[in-house]
Amino acid sequence: MRAVNEGEVEYKRLPEYFAMRKRELSGMVEPYIDVTDAYGELICSLVLTLGEKGPDDTQDEVCRDLLADVFDFLYDARRTILEGQFSVAFPLLRRAFESTSLLAACAVDGGFAEAWASGKEIPNVKVRKRLSDDPIQEPLESTRELYRYFSM
């Protein structure tokens, strides 16, 4: 019975342990939080600027929607990083990376935006290939390496 009683006591202390873990980890993750905060501030500025007028076309609408997705993923990742829930933050950061890549592809290629808006699935390999073909390109190996990293 002793283990059951101790388990009950320790379970009730989980919020205390959580707060201690959060305090200890916050200093270690501060540089990462600074980066996500900088992106969040940039995205907020872009959204405020874009919000002054409605979208011109489907491409514009898709890009705005993807921008909002990136913000959501980064904002939620920030919270989970601060809470020390790195296994939860990682997929959110992957989604932020994927949405940012798709946003870039849609911004330079209206066909991508039209396909996305119509509900077609666009494989990440196709997005990476499109970005590597752009005059202001992102090298294919670079995006492939990042994708592999976030796929671990």
Side-chain angles (χ1 to χ4, degrees), residues 44-103:
C44 281
S45 297
L46 291 171
V47 168
L48 288 171
T49 301
L50 291 171
E52 293 178 6
K53 73 180 211 71
D56 293 330
D57 53 24
T58 300
Q59 183 179 18
D60 189 9
E61 189 174 335
V62 166
C63 288
R64 290 172 188 230
D65 185 52
L66 289 168
L67 181 66
D69 287 350
V70 171
F71 178 82
D72 289 344
F73 294 134
L74 289 176
Y75 193 75
D76 284 343
R78 179 190 194 284
R79 179 185 49 77
T80 58
I81 289 169
L82 281 172
E83 292 173 354
Q85 297 179 358
F86 304 117
S87 61
V88 176
F90 206 75
L92 292 168
L93 293 170
R94 176 181 173 176
R95 292 294 310 272
F97 168 71
E98 291 172 345
S99 291
T100 300
S101 298
L102 181 58
L103 169 59

Side-chain angles (χ1 to χ4, degrees), residues 1-8:
M1 235 17 208
R2 182 171 178 252
V4 171
N5 291 340
E6 285 181 21
E8 183 180 332

